[in-house]
Amino acid sequence: GDSVTQMEGPVTLSEEAFLTINCTYTATGYPSLFWYVQYPGEGLQLLLKATKADDKGSNKGFEATYRKETTSFHLEKGSVQVSDSAVYFCALSPARGSQGNLIFGKGTKLSVKP
Amino acid sequence: EPEVTQTPSHQVTQMGQEVILRCVPISNHLYFYWYRQILGQKVEFLVSFYNNEISEKSEIFDDQFSVERPDGSNFTLKIRSTKLEDSAMYFCASRVGQGATGAYEQYFGPGTRLTVT
């Protein structure tokens, strides 16, 4: 079945460092891909999305490109801030036969130190 | 900004007891979901609900689980006889959108932490 694999955490970075969180997926056809973020004590918030191959999602300085050839959707940010400390989840919505339910990776906890 | 709310934030119950977790989705949304996250594990899909009926459910969603939209605003998840392994964070989500595409954003609530003792 469809699945998402993302890099294990936790990840600890200094402020202004470059961030990459790897995400790869297994799915039939062309799923939609998402990154969600969970700040402490809050629900999951959509960070960015891409719905077809080569699309680039971006928001708040974060970017991810839908790579069909490598089945990847890696999250990047050029300069992280302390306020980016959170848990990041990669997710997919299957291409067909679903009501939009999401399949999540395990989540990667990011801590940014001043 | 409209948001999905969930109550209670934390529920402690004894094994074998029934629990009802409550959610208020965003008012103009049409699709509703429950997910759960066992501590340290993935967020897992449980069930989706559309047009007053279950549209899809996972293997986890067995006969012990049920969902209901009793009054047009609340969306509830009931576990009839809780087990220790039901201890998890339960998230409700909703989205607006017609059809079965996966491209619409799901809005999540803050979750209910269920502890079964």
Side-chain angles (χ1 to χ4, degrees):
Chain A
D2 296 352
S3 65
V4 174
T5 302
Q6 63 181 104
M7 64 185 286
E8 298 284 328
V11 174
T12 302
L13 296 174
S14 298
E15 205 164 24
E16 299 184 3
F18 184 84
L19 168 71
T20 300
I21 301 178
N22 290 337
C23 172
T24 56
Y25 68 90
T26 301
T28 304
Y30 292 87
S32 296
L33 301 175
F34 306 85
W35 277 100
Y36 278 81
V37 59
Q38 185 178 31
Y39 299 103
E42 298 185 15
L44 298 165
Q45 300 174 23
L46 180 66
L47 182 59
L48 52 84
K49 67 181 181 186
T51 58
K52 60 183 187 294
D54 301 323
D55 267 3
K56 177 186 282 188
S58 61
N59 186 25
K60 299 181 181 179
F62 290 90
E63 293 183 341
T65 301
Y66 189 143
R67 301 282 188 204
K68 180 68 175 174
E69 63 277 13
T70 54
T71 61
S72 65
F73 193 55
H74 304 321
L75 182 69
E76 296 182 337
K77 186 175 185 181
S79 176
V80 294
Q81 305 301 311
V82 172
S83 57
D84 293 328
S85 298
V87 181
Y88 293 81
F89 295 90
C90 184
L92 69 81
S93 181
R96 57 186 175 185
S98 79
Q99 292 293 312
N101 56 290
L102 295 170
I103 297 169
F104 285 89
K106 275 193 171 184
T108 302
K109 184 175 182 180
L110 171 66
S111 296
V112 181
K113 307 297 184 185
Chain B
E1 185 175 332
E3 58 182 16
V4 177
T5 60
Q6 290 185 242
T7 54
S9 57
H10 190 192
Q11 174 90 47
V12 180
T13 189
Q14 290 188 328
M15 196 167 50
Q17 296 296 305
E18 174 184 286
V19 294
I20 298 176
L21 310 183
R22 302 181 192 281
C23 168
V24 179
I26 295 172
S27 61
N28 64 334
H29 284 190
L30 301 177
Y31 292 82
F32 312 110
Y33 305 84
W34 283 101
Y35 295 84
R36 79 172 186 190
Q37 184 181 29
I38 296 172
L39 187 64
Q41 299 187 24
K42 296 184 179 187
V43 177
E44 301 171 292
F45 166 73
L46 292 178
V47 65
S48 61
F49 192 86
Y50 170 71
N51 200 25
N52 286 318
E53 61 183 20
I54 291 173
S55 49
E56 193 169 1
K57 60 183 180 180
S58 72
E59 293 176 352
I60 302 168
F61 194 87
D62 61 21
D63 292 343
Q64 292 297 313
F65 292 89
S66 62
V67 290
E68 195 175 38
R69 190 158 160 80
D71 56 14
S73 61
N74 288 285
F75 180 50
T76 62
L77 174 69
K78 181 192 290 187
I79 309 175
R80 288 191 184 83
S81 178
T82 50
K83 302 187 280 282
L84 293 176
E85 54 264 38
D86 293 327
S87 295
M89 181 74 88
Y90 288 81
F91 294 105
C92 172
S94 68
R95 70 174 176 95
V96 64
Q98 304 297 327
T101 66
Y104 294 100
E105 176 178 355
Q106 291 188 27
Y107 291 78
F108 282 77
T112 292
R113 179 165 298 284
L114 176 65
T115 302
V116 182
T117 62

